[in-house]
Amino acid sequence: QVQLVESGGGLVQAGGSLRLSCVASGRTFSGRPMGWFRQAPGKEREFVAAIAGSGGATGYADSVKGRFTISRDNAKNTVYLQMNSLKPEDTAVYYCAARFALTYSGSYYTDKNEYAYWGQGTQVTVSS
């Protein structure tokens, strides 16, 4: 079992920045592909960003490309999401997710069904 705890959400004005953190515990972190997803009220959970288990490859939703950056620190069992130039449409609950299997290839995963473990979420609100 992998436990995930997100932090770093909050209220920010449009154009501002936030950095989300997700600390993993319970099982091996290095080599485990990770992802960030978000869910706005009345909408389905959507992919935001993902990073390979090796940390060498990353992927982003078109809506955040160039503004958000995902990274990981395997020594700290932590994955980050740096969010810049935030827009009101980025308002959502942001969830960290971990894949069940370890993968040391450069693969990352954008489908939420590929992830077995989820955090409780952290609210991000961007005011206009």
Side-chain angles (χ1 to χ4, degrees):
Q1 193 78 353
V2 175
Q3 291 78 43
L4 303 171
V5 179
E6 303 100 332
S7 62
L11 173 63
V12 64
Q13 287 189 330
S17 298
L18 284 174
R19 188 175 81 153
L20 305 184
S21 299
C22 171
V23 178
S25 62
R27 299 186 72 176
T28 303
F29 179 75
S30 177
R32 192 176 303 280
M34 303 292 293
W36 285 97
F37 291 77
R38 67 186 181 187
Q39 188 166 17
K43 294 188 176 182
E44 291 194 1
R45 192 169 299 189
E46 65 175 7
F47 168 72
V48 175
I51 188 165
S54 63
T58 57
Y60 299 91
D62 287 343
S63 59
V64 308
K65 204 169 291 184
R67 300 187 297 123
F68 290 12
T69 302
I70 188 171
S71 61
R72 65 190 295 158
D73 184 340
N74 289 337
K76 295 182 178 180
N77 287 2
T78 302
V79 62
Y80 303 98
L81 185 68
Q82 177 66 44
M83 305 186 295
N84 298 329
S85 303
L86 282 161
K87 305 175 181 179
E89 50 264 44
D90 294 320
T91 295
V93 177
Y94 283 70
Y95 297 91
C96 173
R99 201 162 181 263
F100 177 81
L102 300 179
T103 306
Y104 291 96
S105 69
S107 299
Y108 59 85
Y109 301 86
T110 63
D111 184 348
K112 58 182 180 290
N113 295 313
E114 291 282 355
Y115 293 89
Y117 307 108
W118 294 84
Q120 82 289 350
T122 186
Q123 176 70 47
V124 171
T125 303
V126 184
S127 64
S128 57

